[in-house]
């Protein structure tokens, strides 16, 4: 009896085997399979990964390769424009069907539609699935038929409508024909000259097993204090740390949702705290709604009035912010955590983003770009949506006139200074009272702590009150131009 034609699984942002609809469809009926990953840096409009994401992708692909190998299969790695590569792999493997999980940026959707049509024209089966979101961006509609632009009603509607489908099992075998493949190494994703990734390796275990372990750890205790602790950056377990795993699809939000609900039902998890956590997962969903309806989210103001904002261009100030040398300890600690680990606590992301866009009045796009390059969880929807939210130009955004005070924020959310002391060790000996505003300490206190402002730690690059007033004055300009338009 002749073998059925293989099914091709095109892995993209779904680097897992369990609860993966594309994998499930391919292995149904026991067909041979071809597992494929394409590094496509050629298709116009598809945003290339930043440096930290490339580091993650390198490790995640290696983990996936090992997991597929354990099931008798092989991960075929190619590089190039996906449309061309898919055609080549179909020819070489004799595949009769191609399956993948959907992505949501405009360029990716257009590309996927073209590929699907071409495959169907050749008589192949081509099918795509939702493997990335609880509900796809077009699924939830407001009473008037539009999409949700405000988070709270969106979350209410999602909670009422979402019914997780049963979990899809991990395949038992992934055997199939062997065709030529690059190695993961040949993609050159790991940084060299210099290799700046030591800190990332200390903090993360990319891959499906790492994702499951992180979820299990979080559900085993930290979730119960999430609602109280989630704003405390000094507490390692204050949040789940799942963001890069979700970004690369090593775990699905549906898996997270089911596990949390099962814990609540079994009485192992406190419901009130768990629902606050799931509402954060819903922010991720909301970001995808915004990206879907505003394809230019990463480059264009959601609120068009912001085109009148008189942003400042200062390379010097931007570099001080990027390198954690602003003289504001909570800002500097955040930027250094980001550089060292590829991740930053959410509360501090809001503080540093507010500082850049308001105190320094630098365009949110510059911040979004830096985060895109340095975050291991750099996400095409959550990153621009969150930047615009903080800058005031986004959907359901924090009002521009609400300028975070980096001193008060530090004192409130890092009261014992554990976070600042960890990432700005040169301030370690300062008493708590002065830790978030070292320039207010008198000379003797600074000297005793071994600090010389301007030498061992920078003086503030902008005075808080002046920065705040300047931002508010700029906002007035925007308002005037808007009403004159
Ligand atoms: P938890 O608190 O444990 O939350 C669980 C999950 O919910 C997260 O893993 C994430 O997938 C999702 N989530 C939580 N908060 C948000 C949010 N505000 N918006 C969207 N999703 C959320 N998140 C990213 O995943 N990628 C980004 O590129 C990104 N850029 C950001 C930029 C700025 C300026 C700000 C203020 C926030 C950004 N966030 C981004 C959102 C948030 O900071 C991170 O998702 C969170 O810190 C990740 O840590 P965690 O997994 O421990 O989160």
């Amino acid at each position: 009896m002749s073998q059925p034609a293989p099914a091709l699984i095109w892995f993209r942002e779904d680097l897992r085997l369990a609860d993966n609809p594309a994998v499930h469809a391919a292995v149904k009926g026991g067909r041979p399979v071809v597992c494929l990953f394409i590094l496509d840096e050629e298709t116009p409009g598809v945003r290339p990964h930043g440096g930290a994401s490339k580091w993650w992708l390198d490790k995640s692909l290696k983990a996936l390769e090992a997991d597929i190998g354990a099931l008798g299969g092989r991960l075929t790695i190619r590089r190039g424009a996906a449309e061309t590569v898919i055609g080549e792999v179909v020819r070489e493997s004799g595949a009769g069907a191609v399956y993948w999980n959907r992505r949501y940026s405009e360029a990716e959707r257009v590309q996927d539609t073209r590929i699907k049509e071409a495959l169907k024209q050749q008589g192949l089966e081509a099918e795509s699935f939702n493997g990335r979101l609880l509900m796809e961006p077009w699924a939830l509609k407001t009473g008037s038929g539009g999409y949700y632009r405000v988070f709270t009603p969106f979350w209410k509607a999602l909670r009422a409508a979402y019914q997780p489908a049963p979990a899809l099992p991990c395949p038992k075998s992934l055997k199939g024909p062997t065709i030529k493949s690059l190695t993961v190494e040949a993609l050159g994703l790991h940084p060299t000259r210099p290799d700046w990734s030591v800190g990332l390796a200390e903090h993360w275990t990319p891959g499906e097993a790492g994702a499951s372990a992180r979820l299990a750890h979080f559900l085993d205790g930290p979730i119960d204090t999430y609602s109280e602790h989630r704003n405390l950056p000094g507490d390692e377990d204050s949040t789940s740390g799942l963001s890069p795993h979700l970004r690369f699809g090593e775990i699905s939000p549906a898996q997270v949702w089911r596990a949390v609900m099962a814990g609540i039902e079994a009485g192992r998890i406190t419901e009130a705290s768990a629902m606050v956590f799931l509402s954060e997962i819903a922010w991720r969903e909301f970001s995808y709604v915004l990206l879907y309806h505003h394809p230019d989210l990463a480059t264009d103001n959601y609120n068009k009035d912001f085109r009148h904002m008189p942003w400042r261009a200062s390379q010097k100030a931007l570099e001080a912010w990027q390198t954690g040398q602003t003289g504001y300890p909570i800002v500097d600690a955040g930027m250094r955590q980001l550089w060292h680990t590829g991740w930053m606590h959410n509360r501090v992301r809001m503080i540093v983003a507010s500082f850049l866009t308001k105190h320094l009045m630098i365009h949110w796009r510059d911040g979004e770009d830096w985060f895109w390059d340095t975050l291991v969880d750099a996400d095409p929807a959550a990153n621009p949506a969150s930047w615009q939210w903080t800058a005031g130009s986004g959907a359901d955004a924090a009002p521009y006139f609400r300028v975070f005070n980096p001193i008060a924020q530090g004192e409130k959310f890092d009261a014992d200074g554990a976070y600042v002391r960890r990432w700005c060790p040169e301030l370690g000996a300062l008493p708590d009272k002065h830790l978030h505003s070292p320039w207010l300490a008198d000379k003797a206190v600074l000297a005793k702590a071994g600090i010389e402002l301007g030498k061992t730690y920078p003086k503030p690059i902008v005075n808080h009150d002046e920065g705040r007033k300047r931002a508010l004055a700029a906002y007035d300009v925007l308002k005037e131009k808007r009403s004159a338009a």
Side-chain angles (χ1 to χ4, degrees):
M1 214 171 71
S2 68
Q3 275 263 47
L8 177 60
I9 309 166
W10 179 17
F11 286 94
R12 295 116 60 97
E13 299 184 313
D14 53 344
L15 305 180
R16 67 178 183 278
L17 298 180
D19 204 40
N20 185 324
V23 171
H24 186 69
V27 300
K28 239 186 339 195
R31 279 174 292 186
V33 292
V34 175
C35 299
L36 172 69
F37 178 83
I38 306 168
L39 184 67
D40 180 357
E41 293 177 314
E42 291 173 23
T43 301
V46 175
R47 197 172 183 184
H49 287 289
S53 296
K54 281 187 184 167
W55 176 87
W56 190 284
L57 181 60
D58 179 68
K59 318 297 167 267
S60 193
L61 286 175
K62 285 176 181 157
L64 182 67
E65 191 174 43
D67 293 345
I68 292 172
L71 296 177
R74 183 156 177 259
L75 180 62
T76 299
I77 311 261
R78 297 281 172 98
R79 157 174 243 152
E83 253 166 296
T84 315
V85 176
I86 290 277
E88 288 164 2
V89 171
V90 162
R91 271 194 302 282
E92 290 168 35
S93 64
V98 184
Y99 301 110
W100 64 79
N101 295 313
R102 287 189 278 276
R103 301 173 297 184
Y104 302 95
S105 81
E106 188 174 46
E108 290 164 337
R109 283 187 282 120
V110 168
Q111 183 191 45
D112 288 355
T113 305
R114 270 200 316 260
I115 293 176
K116 199 182 260 184
E117 279 166 8
L119 289 168
K120 285 187 172 170
Q121 267 174 17
Q122 293 166 46
L124 272 85
E125 193 191 328
E127 214 180 326
S128 63
F129 304 88
N130 171 17
R132 186 160 184 73
L133 296 172
L134 300 174
M135 294 182 77
E136 293 188 290
W138 50 84
L140 277 178
K141 297 225 164 40
T142 61
S144 56
Y147 69 93
Y148 285 92
R149 293 152 201 261
V150 179
F151 176 73
T152 305
F154 170 79
W155 170 221
K156 215 171 140 203
L158 179 71
R159 262 179 87 166
Y162 179 59
Q163 291 292 339
L168 300 170
C170 201
K172 292 198 168 58
S173 162
L174 285 171
K175 288 194 182 121
T178 300
I179 55 170
K180 75 174 189 297
S181 171
L182 295 171
T183 60
V184 177
E185 243 86 39
L187 297 177
L189 298 166
H190 187 89
T192 52
R193 285 179 285 168
D195 181 352
W196 39 258
S197 68
V198 181
L200 277 62
E202 284 166 7
H203 279 81
W204 301 105
T205 311
E208 190 169 358
S212 302
R214 201 169 263 273
L215 177 65
H217 171 76
F218 183 64
L219 298 188
D220 201 24
I223 192 169
D224 286 327
T225 48
Y226 182 81
S227 60
E228 298 146 51
H229 291 187
R230 70 194 185 93
N231 277 311
L232 305 178
D235 172 357
E236 287 255 314
D237 277 337
S238 62
T239 65
S240 71
L242 281 170
S243 51
H245 298 290
L246 283 162
R247 162 68 182 100
F248 286 90
E250 298 166 354
I251 194 163
S252 68
Q255 285 175 301
V256 175
W257 184 284
R258 283 189 219 102
V260 171
M261 288 303 179
I264 294 173
E265 272 157 35
R268 285 192 311 272
I269 293 177
T270 316
E271 180 167 4
S273 191
M275 292 320 287
V276 176
F277 171 66
L278 289 181
S279 77
E280 295 301 322
I281 299 278
W283 270 104
R284 176 176 179 272
E285 302 273 316
F286 186 55
S287 306
Y288 274 88
V289 171
L290 299 177
L291 177 69
Y292 179 73
H293 291 282
H294 296 270
D296 296 333
L297 197 64
T299 50
D300 199 14
N301 294 305
Y302 173 89
N303 174 350
K304 301 291 176 232
D305 291 343
F306 272 72
R307 67 185 181 277
H308 299 304
M309 180 58 98
W311 301 111
R312 288 172 68 241
S314 167
Q315 189 58 26
K316 204 170 149 213
L318 179 62
E319 278 171 19
W321 177 82
Q322 289 171 335
T323 53
Q325 297 290 336
T326 67
Y328 285 89
I330 192 78
V331 174
D332 294 340
M335 298 310 292
R336 295 181 198 185
Q337 179 184 32
L338 173 61
W339 184 250
H340 190 76
T341 68
W343 186 88
M344 192 195 299
H345 188 279
N346 179 59
R347 167 59 49 181
V348 192
R349 292 188 201 202
M350 292 193 285
I351 298 170
V352 304
S354 170
F355 188 82
L356 185 79
T357 54
K358 298 180 183 178
H359 285 86
L360 300 180
M361 285 203 53
I362 291 179
H363 203 299
W364 59 262
R365 267 200 309 254
D366 289 321
E368 201 273 346
D369 269 348
W370 182 253
F371 270 32
W372 182 260
D373 196 31
T374 52
L375 275 174
V376 285
D377 64 24
D379 185 276
N383 198 39
S386 303
W387 268 96
Q388 293 223 40
W389 185 90
T390 318
S393 63
D396 197 8
Y400 184 83
F401 56 79
R402 195 175 295 154
V403 179
F404 274 147
N405 174 339
I407 309 152
Q409 289 282 313
E411 288 170 351
K412 182 166 178 196
F413 297 112
D414 185 35
D416 66 0
Y419 184 70
V420 161
R421 287 199 175 86
R422 169 144 194 222
W423 296 108
C424 302
E426 68 272 40
L427 297 175
L430 258 189
D432 290 355
K433 189 174 156 214
H434 300 295
L435 195 62
H436 293 285
S437 50
W439 62 93
L440 296 179
D442 63 37
K443 275 197 178 133
V445 173
L446 288 172
K448 192 165 169 220
I451 297 165
E452 198 178 336
L453 287 183
K455 284 219 167 119
T456 61
Y457 183 73
K459 292 180 181 161
I461 57 168
V462 59
N463 173 285
H464 164 60
D465 272 336
E466 285 166 18
R468 188 172 165 276
K469 282 187 190 133
R470 183 173 63 182
L472 296 181
Y475 187 58
D476 286 340
V477 172
L478 178 152
K479 281 195 296 189
E480 273 162 31
K481 289 206 172 152
R482 180 182 58 191
S483 37

